[in-house]
Amino acid sequence: MTHIALIGVGYWGSNHLRALVKLRDEGLVTELIACDTSEISLKEVEKYEGIETETDWKNLLKDNNLDMVSIVSPSPMHYEMAKEFMLAGKDVLVEKPMALTSEECDDLINIQKQTGKGLMVGHIFRFHSAVLELKNMISKGDFGEVLYITIRRTALRPPRKDMGVMLALGIHEVDLTCFLLGDKTPDMIFADMNYLFDKQEEMAFILQKFGKTSAYSFESWVDPTQGKLRELSLVGSLGSAVIDFLVPDEIKLVNSFLNVKESGYGKEFEVVQEGETTVKLESKEPLLEEIRHFIVNSKGNRIYDADGIIGRRAVIMIEKAIEANKKGRFIEI
Amino acid sequence: MSCHRHLHIKKAKDFMLAGKDVLVEKPLAMTKEECKELVSISEETGSGLMVGHIFRFHSALLELKKRIELGEFGEIHHISIKRQTLRIPRTDMGVMLALGIHEVDLTCFLLGDKDPDYIFADMNMHYGKTEEMALIIQKFGKTTAYCYESWVDPTEGKLRELTLIGSKGCAKIDFSVPDEITLINSYLNVKSINDKKSYDVVSGGNFTIRLDFKEPLLEEIRHFIIESLSDKNYRANGKIGSRAVEMVEKAILANETKQFVRC
C-alpha cells in the first residue's frame, strides 16, 4: 500500500500527476492525493479518475495513511514543506532547487537524519537514459580522458518571474556535469550572468573546473537562433559524444580524436576519423523513472541517486556561481 | 608580409624605414610594446601600416555591421562565435593568437570599433605547449561576446559560426560562406506597465540574404594597395592591430589570474 500526495499541480506538477497516474496503473501507487491552493489548477486532476484533492497542504500533515509526498510547489515553499512533511513522518521528493539557500539545505539534511525519513531531490537528469549511458561509457573509459563538456540550453520564451536561468536551468547543468564525472565536485566555478529586461537574469554562462576537465554551460531565454536547443557535447581524448536532451533514448558518438605518439622528436599527432554512430537506448521517460526510484527506494533503504547531499551541493554551486558573477572571478568550492 | 610572427617587428620596421608601405599578417607583433613601436615608426616615416584582420573585409560581416548601425537588431545583447574543428594543434601558437585574435577584433569592429570594458579567458592545454582550446568573454557595456575556439572538438565537423542576439532580431553567419546572412526575426516584445514587465514572443521566421560573392583576402589586399596609393587610411591600421594584440595579452592575464581584466 503506497499513499502519495502531490503538492502543486502547476505546469511541472501536471507532469508529475501524469507520471503518478501511470505508476498507479502499474500498481506501484495505491492512492493518490493532489493538493494545490488554486481550484483552477486542481481542474487538471479531473482528467483522471479516483484522485482526492486538497487545497491546504497542512491538512495532509495529519493524514496518517499518507506515506510519501512529491513537492512541486514554487521554490520559496520547498524548505518549509519538506521540513514539515519529514517531521510528520512522510518520505519527501522535492523538486530542484531543494531550497533557496545552502543553510536551508543543511537544515533539511539534519531533519532527514533525525527523522530517518526519505529526502530526495528532483534532479531529473540523473534519470535520463542517454545521460546514464553516457556516464557508464565515461566510467568504462570509452572516451579516454574527458577534456570538455559543453551544454547549451537556449530558446526564445518569456522569462520566468520567480527565478532566473541560474536556478531554473543552471542548477541542472552544475549537477549533471558532476554526475557524469563520477559525482566529482568541481574545484572552481565561474559565471557570467546577464540582466537584459528585469531583475532575473535571462542569460548566463557557467564554467566549472574539475581538475583538467572543463564544463561550459550556456543558458538563455532570449536566443531564437537554434530553435529550442538542449544539447550536451562531450570531447574526450579518445572520442566524443553528443546528446539531445529532448531525445532521451539516443546518443551520437563521434569517433574522432587526436592520436598522440611520443617519438624521438617529441610528440607527434595524427587525426583519427572513424565517423559517427548512433546508439539507440530503450525509451524511458526521465520523470517517470525519477518518481519510480523515489517510491521504490522509500519502501526500501531510503538511499536515493539524488539525495539531500546532492541537492545541497547543487544549491551551493549556484550560490558560488552567483558570487563569481558579482566578483568577476572564479570562486573555489 | 606573411612570414613567421616573430619576424614581423624587424621586417615591418625595416620596410617602413626603407619607405615601403607594409601589410603585415595578424598578429601585428609579439607584444603590445612591439606593436606600439611599429605604429610610431609608421607615423614618423609616413609609410603605410596595415594589419591582415581579414574579417574586416568579409562581406557578410560588413553587411551585418551596417545592419547593426541601422538599428535593425535593436540593442545588441550577445554575440557568440564558435570556431571549432579537429586538427593537429599548431606548435608556433595556440588558439588565442591563431583564432582568438580574429574574434576579439571582429566583435569590436561590429560594435562600431568600441573597446571592451573587460575581458576574460579560460585556456586549456592537454596536448602540447600551446593551448588547444579557449573561451573568451568580452564585456561591452550591456553587450557580451562569447568566443569558443577549439582544435580538438570534432562534434560539429568544421564549424565557424557567429550568432548575434538583439532586442529586435537575430542573425547568423557561417564564416566559410561570406556571401550569406541568415536573419532570425524573432524576439521578445517587452512591455512595462507600472514597473511590471510583460513579454510577447514575436516569431517572425528566418530568411537568408544573398550578397555579392567577394573573397575576403582579395578585398583585404585590394584595400591595402588602393589605400597605399592614396591617403593610407586603412580599415585595419596599426592601432587596430595593436589593440587586438593588447586584448589577447589581457585575456591571457585573465586566464592566469582567474578573473576579468579591465581593458
Side-chain angles (χ1 to χ4, degrees):
Chain A
M1 299 288 277
T2 301
H3 291 227
I4 184 163
L6 171 65
I7 319 294
V9 196
Y11 163 70
W12 189 238
S14 62
N15 287 319
H16 271 251
L17 183 65
R18 181 178 43 75
L20 284 164
V21 169
K22 213 166 175 184
L23 293 172
R24 187 180 65 179
D25 294 345
E26 286 182 18
L28 196 58
V29 171
T30 336
E31 206 170 303
L32 201 48
I33 305 169
C35 173
D36 201 294
T37 50
S38 154
E39 299 277 0
I40 299 162
S41 294
L42 284 174
K43 285 239 178 295
E44 179 73 22
V45 179
E46 291 168 12
K47 279 192 195 165
Y48 310 100
E49 278 179 22
I51 302 173
E52 281 180 54
T53 58
E54 174 60 63
T55 52
D56 185 356
W57 65 276
K58 290 195 169 150
N59 289 338
L60 296 170
L61 295 170
K62 294 165 265 173
D63 184 344
N64 290 329
N65 291 321
L66 187 65
D67 304 300
M68 309 170 192
V69 292
S70 174
I71 301 173
V72 198
S73 57
S75 310
M77 308 184 70
H78 288 177
Y79 168 69
E80 191 196 352
M81 287 180 168
K83 179 172 150 179
E84 294 301 329
F85 277 112
M86 280 192 286
L87 289 173
K90 320 298 179 198
D91 297 313
V92 170
L93 166 62
V94 57
E95 260 306 324
K96 54 90 216 165
M98 174 179 167
L100 292 182
T101 66
S102 53
E103 290 76 19
E104 286 179 356
C105 294
D106 288 340
D107 218 20
L108 291 181
I109 289 167
N110 286 335
I111 292 165
Q112 186 277 323
K113 282 184 195 148
Q114 286 161 25
T115 60
K117 288 291 134 188
L119 175 61
M120 173 169 155
V121 188
H123 282 288
I124 191 168
F125 288 93
R126 291 176 173 254
F127 303 92
H128 187 287
S129 312
V131 171
L132 283 162
E133 179 58 20
L134 190 66
K135 178 181 161 70
N136 180 34
M137 296 173 91
I138 292 169
S139 68
K140 283 192 300 174
D142 288 6
F143 306 108
E145 193 190 338
V146 177
L147 309 179
Y148 309 106
I149 297 172
T150 306
I151 304 177
R152 292 179 192 270
R153 211 182 283 257
T154 61
L156 182 69
R157 56 154 282 174
R160 285 176 66 153
K161 301 214 186 301
D162 58 336
M163 57 174 88
V165 290
M166 291 295 283
L167 272 177
L169 309 176
I171 198 156
H172 284 305
E173 272 53 290
V174 295
D175 178 62
L176 96 83
T177 49
C178 297
F179 179 60
L180 283 176
L181 298 170
D183 259 317
K184 249 195 212 166
T185 298
D187 312 316
M188 286 187 289
I189 198 160
F190 175 85
D192 180 57
M193 293 157 59
N194 294 278
Y195 300 83
L196 306 168
F197 306 118
D198 213 341
K199 293 176 196 78
Q200 309 281 8
E201 73 286 355
E202 297 91 352
M203 194 274 157
F205 161 73
I206 309 170
L207 170 48
Q208 292 163 290
K209 293 292 224 181
F210 300 86
K212 291 199 80 180
T213 305
S214 301
Y216 304 92
S217 304
F218 296 88
E219 323 286 348
S220 178
W221 283 330
V222 294
D223 185 345
T225 62
Q226 318 280 331
K228 182 174 178 176
L229 182 72
R230 298 173 158 223
E231 192 185 79
L232 177 147
S233 74
L234 177 144
V235 175
S237 62
L238 295 178
S240 297
V242 180
I243 288 178
D244 177 351
F245 288 136
L246 300 173
V247 186
D249 54 352
E250 230 175 79
I251 302 180
K252 184 174 90 175
L253 299 179
V254 183
N255 305 308
S256 302
F257 59 95
L258 281 182
N259 190 26
V260 186
K261 280 179 279 184
E262 298 283 347
S263 76
Y265 304 103
K267 279 181 184 170
E268 272 180 44
F269 297 99
E270 180 197 5
V271 173
V272 178
Q273 276 181 315
E274 287 174 358
E276 295 178 5
T277 44
T278 302
V279 179
K280 289 292 286 183
L281 306 166
E282 206 190 319
S283 186
K284 286 182 180 172
E285 192 200 337
L287 182 60
L288 193 69
E289 295 309 304
E290 173 194 309
I291 301 176
R292 189 199 307 280
H293 177 85
F294 168 63
I295 295 172
V296 170
N297 288 40
S298 294
K299 292 203 241 179
N301 57 12
R302 296 191 168 101
I303 293 171
Y304 307 101
D305 287 345
D307 59 14
I309 308 281
I310 295 290
R312 175 177 61 184
R313 181 178 63 184
V315 170
I316 290 173
M317 285 189 285
I318 293 295
E319 283 179 350
K320 302 261 183 189
I322 292 170
E323 185 188 344
N325 172 65
K326 274 192 195 131
K327 296 186 171 162
R329 65 172 169 84
F330 271 102
I331 301 291
E332 282 181 29
I333 295 187
Chain B
M1 197 178 290
S2 311
C3 57
H4 197 282
R5 68 189 174 107
H6 291 91
L7 302 169
H8 287 178
I9 174 79
K10 177 155 184 3
K11 291 196 176 174
K13 192 161 129 181
D14 288 350
F15 276 113
M16 281 192 286
L17 290 171
K20 318 297 179 199
D21 298 317
V22 171
L23 166 60
V24 56
E25 259 310 321
K26 53 92 216 166
L28 172 57
M30 297 290 287
T31 63
K32 107 184 149 211
E33 288 72 25
E34 284 183 4
C35 292
K36 288 195 168 140
E37 193 185 340
L38 291 178
V39 171
S40 35
I41 291 170
S42 164
E43 281 164 1
E44 284 157 24
T45 58
S47 296
L49 176 62
M50 175 168 148
V51 189
H53 282 288
I54 191 168
F55 287 94
R56 290 176 174 255
F57 303 91
H58 188 285
S59 313
L61 276 171
L62 286 163
E63 179 67 22
L64 187 65
K65 178 177 161 68
K66 195 174 89 192
R67 287 170 181 264
I68 292 171
E69 280 159 9
L70 289 170
E72 190 173 314
F73 308 109
E75 198 185 328
I76 309 302
H77 297 320
H78 304 116
I79 297 172
S80 171
I81 303 176
K82 287 191 266 180
R83 210 183 284 256
Q84 61 188 65
T85 187
L86 179 69
R87 55 157 282 175
I88 295 172
R90 289 175 65 152
T91 49
D92 60 334
M93 57 175 100
V95 290
M96 291 296 285
L97 274 176
L99 310 176
I101 198 155
H102 284 304
E103 270 56 289
V104 296
D105 178 61
L106 84 85
T107 50
C108 297
F109 179 59
L110 283 178
L111 299 170
D113 260 318
K114 246 193 216 168
D115 287 327
D117 309 314
Y118 294 96
I119 199 160
F120 174 86
D122 179 58
M123 293 157 58
N124 294 280
M125 209 184 293
H126 290 100
Y127 292 97
K129 295 191 190 76
T130 57
E131 75 284 354
E132 79 274 349
M133 191 273 159
L135 182 115
I136 309 171
I137 305 178
Q138 291 165 292
K139 293 294 230 182
F140 300 87
K142 287 198 81 177
T143 306
T144 308
Y146 300 96
C147 306
Y148 184 94
E149 323 284 350
S150 179
W151 282 331
V152 291
D153 189 337
T155 61
E156 311 263 0
K158 183 172 180 176
L159 184 72
R160 302 174 154 219
E161 187 185 81
L162 177 145
T163 59
L164 178 140
I165 315 285
S167 62
K168 296 280 170 226
C170 302
K172 193 152 66 169
I173 289 177
D174 177 349
F175 288 138
S176 49
V177 187
D179 53 349
E180 231 176 78
I181 301 184
T182 304
L183 297 179
I184 298 118
N185 299 308
S186 302
Y187 59 94
L188 287 178
N189 190 24
V190 186
K191 281 179 240 157
S192 209
I193 302 158
N194 296 336
D195 223 28
K196 283 246 166 35
K197 309 270 173 165
S198 70
Y199 303 91
D200 292 319
V201 173
V202 180
S203 293
N206 298 1
F207 70 93
T208 302
I209 300 176
R210 300 284 304 186
L211 309 165
D212 282 343
F213 180 82
K214 289 178 179 172
E215 192 199 337
L217 182 60
L218 192 69
E219 295 306 303
E220 174 194 309
I221 302 175
R222 189 197 309 279
H223 176 86
F224 168 65
I225 295 170
I226 290 172
E227 286 297 320
S228 296
L229 293 170
S230 59
D231 58 5
K232 297 179 183 168
N233 189 10
Y234 306 107
R235 197 182 297 159
N237 59 26
K239 283 190 178 141
I240 296 290
S242 182
R243 178 181 64 182
V245 169
E246 201 172 329
M247 283 190 285
V248 169
E249 282 182 355
K250 297 215 164 151
I252 292 170
L253 179 65
N255 174 64
E256 280 163 9
T257 58
K258 311 255 170 261
Q259 60 189 333
F260 272 104
V261 171
R262 188 179 278 278
C263 285

PDB file of all heavy atoms in Angstrom, chain B residues 91-114:
ATOM      1  N   THR B  91      52.072  24.363 -33.486  1.00  0.00           N
ATOM      2  CA  THR B  91      53.111  24.366 -32.447  1.00  0.00           C
ATOM      3  C   THR B  91      53.650  25.774 -32.200  1.00  0.00           C
ATOM      4  O   THR B  91      54.193  26.060 -31.144  1.00  0.00           O
ATOM      5  CB  THR B  91      54.286  23.443 -32.837  1.00  0.00           C
ATOM      6  OG1 THR B  91      54.658  23.770 -34.169  1.00  0.00           O
ATOM      7  CG2 THR B  91      53.887  21.983 -32.752  1.00  0.00           C
ATOM      8  N   ASP B  92      53.491  26.671 -33.206  1.00  0.00           N
ATOM      9  CA  ASP B  92      54.053  28.018 -33.042  1.00  0.00           C
ATOM     10  C   ASP B  92      53.175  28.936 -32.215  1.00  0.00           C
ATOM     11  O   ASP B  92      53.657  29.896 -31.630  1.00  0.00           O
ATOM     12  CB  ASP B  92      54.329  28.647 -34.426  1.00  0.00           C
ATOM     13  CG  ASP B  92      53.070  28.762 -35.273  1.00  0.00           C
ATOM     14  OD1 ASP B  92      52.127  27.966 -35.048  1.00  0.00           O
ATOM     15  OD2 ASP B  92      53.015  29.642 -36.142  1.00  0.00           O
ATOM     16  N   MET B  93      51.881  28.677 -32.188  1.00  0.00           N
ATOM     17  CA  MET B  93      50.982  29.477 -31.359  1.00  0.00           C
ATOM     18  C   MET B  93      49.733  28.682 -31.044  1.00  0.00           C
ATOM     19  O   MET B  93      49.396  27.717 -31.716  1.00  0.00           O
ATOM     20  CB  MET B  93      50.607  30.799 -32.051  1.00  0.00           C
ATOM     21  CG  MET B  93      49.961  30.661 -33.410  1.00  0.00           C
ATOM     22  SD  MET B  93      49.416  32.264 -34.084  1.00  0.00           S
ATOM     23  CE  MET B  93      50.748  32.650 -35.206  1.00  0.00           C
ATOM     24  N   GLY B  94      49.036  29.111 -29.968  1.00  0.00           N
ATOM     25  CA  GLY B  94      47.804  28.436 -29.573  1.00  0.00           C
ATOM     26  C   GLY B  94      46.595  29.093 -30.217  1.00  0.00           C
ATOM     27  O   GLY B  94      46.728  30.007 -31.037  1.00  0.00           O
ATOM     28  N   VAL B  95      45.409  28.640 -29.808  1.00  0.00           N
ATOM     29  CA  VAL B  95      44.173  29.173 -30.398  1.00  0.00           C
ATOM     30  C   VAL B  95      43.968  30.656 -30.093  1.00  0.00           C
ATOM     31  O   VAL B  95      43.301  31.350 -30.850  1.00  0.00           O
ATOM     32  CB  VAL B  95      42.912  28.381 -29.963  1.00  0.00           C
ATOM     33  CG1 VAL B  95      42.881  26.998 -30.593  1.00  0.00           C
ATOM     34  CG2 VAL B  95      42.786  28.299 -28.458  1.00  0.00           C
ATOM     35  N   MET B  96      44.553  31.159 -29.004  1.00  0.00           N
ATOM     36  CA  MET B  96      44.354  32.572 -28.669  1.00  0.00           C
ATOM     37  C   MET B  96      44.890  33.478 -29.770  1.00  0.00           C
ATOM     38  O   MET B  96      44.217  34.397 -30.219  1.00  0.00           O
ATOM     39  CB  MET B  96      45.050  32.928 -27.350  1.00  0.00           C
ATOM     40  CG  MET B  96      44.420  32.311 -26.128  1.00  0.00           C
ATOM     41  SD  MET B  96      42.732  32.874 -25.806  1.00  0.00           S
ATOM     42  CE  MET B  96      43.041  34.504 -25.173  1.00  0.00           C
ATOM     43  N   LEU B  97      46.124  33.210 -30.195  1.00  0.00           N
ATOM     44  CA  LEU B  97      46.725  34.064 -31.224  1.00  0.00           C
ATOM     45  C   LEU B  97      46.331  33.644 -32.638  1.00  0.00           C
ATOM     46  O   LEU B  97      46.277  34.472 -33.539  1.00  0.00           O
ATOM     47  CB  LEU B  97      48.246  34.086 -31.084  1.00  0.00           C
ATOM     48  CG  LEU B  97      48.795  35.128 -30.105  1.00  0.00           C
ATOM     49  CD1 LEU B  97      50.296  35.000 -29.983  1.00  0.00           C
ATOM     50  CD2 LEU B  97      48.442  36.556 -30.544  1.00  0.00           C
ATOM     51  N   ALA B  98      46.052  32.352 -32.818  1.00  0.00           N
ATOM     52  CA  ALA B  98      45.719  31.890 -34.165  1.00  0.00           C
ATOM     53  C   ALA B  98      44.269  32.206 -34.521  1.00  0.00           C
ATOM     54  O   ALA B  98      43.964  32.578 -35.645  1.00  0.00           O
ATOM     55  CB  ALA B  98      45.977  30.388 -34.291  1.00  0.00           C
ATOM     56  N   LEU B  99      43.352  32.054 -33.564  1.00  0.00           N
ATOM     57  CA  LEU B  99      41.925  32.261 -33.839  1.00  0.00           C
ATOM     58  C   LEU B  99      41.340  33.403 -33.011  1.00  0.00           C
ATOM     59  O   LEU B  99      40.644  34.270 -33.535  1.00  0.00           O
ATOM     60  CB  LEU B  99      41.128  30.978 -33.524  1.00  0.00           C
ATOM     61  CG  LEU B  99      41.632  29.652 -34.113  1.00  0.00           C
ATOM     62  CD1 LEU B  99      40.775  28.492 -33.609  1.00  0.00           C
ATOM     63  CD2 LEU B  99      41.597  29.690 -35.640  1.00  0.00           C
ATOM     64  N   GLY B 100      41.653  33.399 -31.717  1.00  0.00           N
ATOM     65  CA  GLY B 100      41.045  34.378 -30.807  1.00  0.00           C
ATOM     66  C   GLY B 100      41.298  35.811 -31.233  1.00  0.00           C
ATOM     67  O   GLY B 100      40.441  36.677 -31.068  1.00  0.00           O
ATOM     68  N   ILE B 101      42.459  36.061 -31.808  1.00  0.00           N
ATOM     69  CA  ILE B 101      42.776  37.433 -32.225  1.00  0.00           C
ATOM     70  C   ILE B 101      41.806  37.943 -33.298  1.00  0.00           C
ATOM     71  O   ILE B 101      41.493  39.131 -33.349  1.00  0.00           O
ATOM     72  CB  ILE B 101      44.259  37.553 -32.663  1.00  0.00           C
ATOM     73  CG1 ILE B 101      44.661  39.024 -32.663  1.00  0.00           C
ATOM     74  CG2 ILE B 101      44.497  36.877 -34.015  1.00  0.00           C
ATOM     75  CD1 ILE B 101      46.126  39.271 -32.480  1.00  0.00           C
ATOM     76  N   HIS B 102      41.277  37.015 -34.121  1.00  0.00           N
ATOM     77  CA  HIS B 102      40.234  37.412 -35.078  1.00  0.00           C
ATOM     78  C   HIS B 102      38.990  37.868 -34.318  1.00  0.00           C
ATOM     79  O   HIS B 102      38.410  38.912 -34.602  1.00  0.00           O
ATOM     80  CB  HIS B 102      39.787  36.213 -35.932  1.00  0.00           C
ATOM     81  CG  HIS B 102      40.741  35.838 -37.005  1.00  0.00           C
ATOM     82  ND1 HIS B 102      41.163  36.718 -37.957  1.00  0.00           N
ATOM     83  CD2 HIS B 102      41.341  34.662 -37.299  1.00  0.00           C
ATOM     84  CE1 HIS B 102      41.985  36.102 -38.791  1.00  0.00           C
ATOM     85  NE2 HIS B 102      42.114  34.857 -38.404  1.00  0.00           N
ATOM     86  N   GLU B 103      38.576  37.031 -33.365  1.00  0.00           N
ATOM     87  CA  GLU B 103      37.308  37.255 -32.655  1.00  0.00           C
ATOM     88  C   GLU B 103      37.343  38.558 -31.863  1.00  0.00           C
ATOM     89  O   GLU B 103      36.409  39.354 -31.946  1.00  0.00           O
ATOM     90  CB  GLU B 103      37.059  36.093 -31.680  1.00  0.00           C
ATOM     91  CG  GLU B 103      36.300  34.924 -32.216  1.00  0.00           C
ATOM     92  CD  GLU B 103      36.862  34.256 -33.444  1.00  0.00           C
ATOM     93  OE1 GLU B 103      36.790  34.873 -34.524  1.00  0.00           O
ATOM     94  OE2 GLU B 103      37.321  33.118 -33.339  1.00  0.00           O
ATOM     95  N   VAL B 104      38.410  38.750 -31.073  1.00  0.00           N
ATOM     96  CA  VAL B 104      38.432  39.937 -30.211  1.00  0.00           C
ATOM     97  C   VAL B 104      38.379  41.215 -31.040  1.00  0.00           C
ATOM     98  O   VAL B 104      37.810  42.210 -30.612  1.00  0.00           O
ATOM     99  CB  VAL B 104      39.641  39.952 -29.229  1.00  0.00           C
ATOM    100  CG1 VAL B 104      39.548  38.796 -28.248  1.00  0.00           C
ATOM    101  CG2 VAL B 104      40.972  39.963 -29.949  1.00  0.00           C
ATOM    102  N   ASP B 105      38.938  41.167 -32.250  1.00  0.00           N
ATOM    103  CA  ASP B 105      38.868  42.359 -33.103  1.00  0.00           C
ATOM    104  C   ASP B 105      37.527  42.477 -33.808  1.00  0.00           C
ATOM    105  O   ASP B 105      36.962  43.565 -33.915  1.00  0.00           O
ATOM    106  CB  ASP B 105      39.997  42.356 -34.137  1.00  0.00           C
ATOM    107  CG  ASP B 105      39.884  43.569 -35.054  1.00  0.00           C
ATOM    108  OD1 ASP B 105      39.960  44.697 -34.514  1.00  0.00           O
ATOM    109  OD2 ASP B 105      39.676  43.417 -36.265  1.00  0.00           O
ATOM    110  N   LEU B 106      37.002  41.354 -34.290  1.00  0.00           N
ATOM    111  CA  LEU B 106      35.791  41.495 -35.115  1.00  0.00           C
ATOM    112  C   LEU B 106      34.582  41.877 -34.291  1.00  0.00           C
ATOM    113  O   LEU B 106      33.666  42.543 -34.787  1.00  0.00           O
ATOM    114  CB  LEU B 106      35.580  40.276 -36.020  1.00  0.00           C
ATOM    115  CG  LEU B 106      34.898  39.012 -35.558  1.00  0.00           C
ATOM    116  CD1 LEU B 106      33.389  39.095 -35.691  1.00  0.00           C
ATOM    117  CD2 LEU B 106      35.382  37.861 -36.436  1.00  0.00           C
ATOM    118  N   THR B 107      34.550  41.484 -33.010  1.00  0.00           N
ATOM    119  CA  THR B 107      33.447  41.921 -32.149  1.00  0.00           C
ATOM    120  C   THR B 107      33.497  43.446 -31.967  1.00  0.00           C
ATOM    121  O   THR B 107      32.475  44.119 -32.061  1.00  0.00           O
ATOM    122  CB  THR B 107      33.500  41.215 -30.782  1.00  0.00           C
ATOM    123  OG1 THR B 107      34.816  41.333 -30.260  1.00  0.00           O
ATOM    124  CG2 THR B 107      33.153  39.738 -30.903  1.00  0.00           C
ATOM    125  N   CYS B 108      34.710  43.982 -31.733  1.00  0.00           N
ATOM    126  CA  CYS B 108      34.867  45.445 -31.620  1.00  0.00           C
ATOM    127  C   CYS B 108      34.402  46.117 -32.902  1.00  0.00           C
ATOM    128  O   CYS B 108      33.670  47.111 -32.886  1.00  0.00           O
ATOM    129  CB  CYS B 108      36.330  45.824 -31.391  1.00  0.00           C
ATOM    130  SG  CYS B 108      37.038  45.194 -29.866  1.00  0.00           S
ATOM    131  N   PHE B 109      34.843  45.553 -34.033  1.00  0.00           N
ATOM    132  CA  PHE B 109      34.513  46.096 -35.350  1.00  0.00           C
ATOM    133  C   PHE B 109      32.992  46.170 -35.535  1.00  0.00           C
ATOM    134  O   PHE B 109      32.440  47.211 -35.896  1.00  0.00           O
ATOM    135  CB  PHE B 109      35.159  45.199 -36.419  1.00  0.00           C
ATOM    136  CG  PHE B 109      34.902  45.606 -37.836  1.00  0.00           C
ATOM    137  CD1 PHE B 109      35.277  46.856 -38.300  1.00  0.00           C
ATOM    138  CD2 PHE B 109      34.300  44.721 -38.733  1.00  0.00           C
ATOM    139  CE1 PHE B 109      35.057  47.233 -39.625  1.00  0.00           C
ATOM    140  CE2 PHE B 109      34.077  45.084 -40.056  1.00  0.00           C
ATOM    141  CZ  PHE B 109      34.448  46.338 -40.495  1.00  0.00           C
ATOM    142  N   LEU B 110      32.313  45.045 -35.235  1.00  0.00           N
ATOM    143  CA  LEU B 110      30.853  45.003 -35.403  1.00  0.00           C
ATOM    144  C   LEU B 110      30.156  46.056 -34.556  1.00  0.00           C
ATOM    145  O   LEU B 110      29.144  46.613 -34.958  1.00  0.00           O
ATOM    146  CB  LEU B 110      30.309  43.619 -35.004  1.00  0.00           C
ATOM    147  CG  LEU B 110      30.499  42.487 -36.004  1.00  0.00           C
ATOM    148  CD1 LEU B 110      29.938  41.197 -35.414  1.00  0.00           C
ATOM    149  CD2 LEU B 110      29.790  42.796 -37.327  1.00  0.00           C
ATOM    150  N   LEU B 111      30.701  46.312 -33.360  1.00  0.00           N
ATOM    151  CA  LEU B 111      30.050  47.246 -32.440  1.00  0.00           C
ATOM    152  C   LEU B 111      30.566  48.672 -32.635  1.00  0.00           C
ATOM    153  O   LEU B 111      30.631  49.456 -31.685  1.00  0.00           O
ATOM    154  CB  LEU B 111      30.244  46.761 -30.995  1.00  0.00           C
ATOM    155  CG  LEU B 111      29.627  45.377 -30.700  1.00  0.00           C
ATOM    156  CD1 LEU B 111      30.069  44.855 -29.350  1.00  0.00           C
ATOM    157  CD2 LEU B 111      28.104  45.426 -30.779  1.00  0.00           C
ATOM    158  N   GLY B 112      30.964  49.011 -33.845  1.00  0.00           N
ATOM    159  CA  GLY B 112      31.367  50.388 -34.144  1.00  0.00           C
ATOM    160  C   GLY B 112      32.748  50.724 -33.618  1.00  0.00           C
ATOM    161  O   GLY B 112      33.000  51.843 -33.195  1.00  0.00           O
ATOM    162  N   ASP B 113      33.621  49.712 -33.623  1.00  0.00           N
ATOM    163  CA  ASP B 113      35.003  49.846 -33.142  1.00  0.00           C
ATOM    164  C   ASP B 113      35.112  50.346 -31.697  1.00  0.00           C
ATOM    165  O   ASP B 113      36.026  51.073 -31.316  1.00  0.00           O
ATOM    166  CB  ASP B 113      35.866  50.664 -34.104  1.00  0.00           C
ATOM    167  CG  ASP B 113      36.710  49.732 -34.962  1.00  0.00           C
ATOM    168  OD1 ASP B 113      37.247  48.761 -34.405  1.00  0.00           O
ATOM    169  OD2 ASP B 113      36.796  49.932 -36.178  1.00  0.00           O
ATOM    170  N   LYS B 114      34.157  49.883 -30.902  1.00  0.00           N
ATOM    171  CA  LYS B 114      34.199  50.096 -29.448  1.00  0.00           C
ATOM    172  C   LYS B 114      35.293  49.234 -28.835  1.00  0.00           C
ATOM    173  O   LYS B 114      35.549  48.126 -29.309  1.00  0.00           O
ATOM    174  CB  LYS B 114      32.873  49.573 -28.871  1.00  0.00           C
ATOM    175  CG  LYS B 114      31.973  50.632 -28.277  1.00  0.00           C
ATOM    176  CD  LYS B 114      30.891  49.917 -27.475  1.00  0.00           C
ATOM    177  CE  LYS B 114      29.561  50.603 -27.559  1.00  0.00           C
ATOM    178  NZ  LYS B 114      28.479  49.776 -27.031  1.00  0.00           N
TER     179      LYS B 114
END
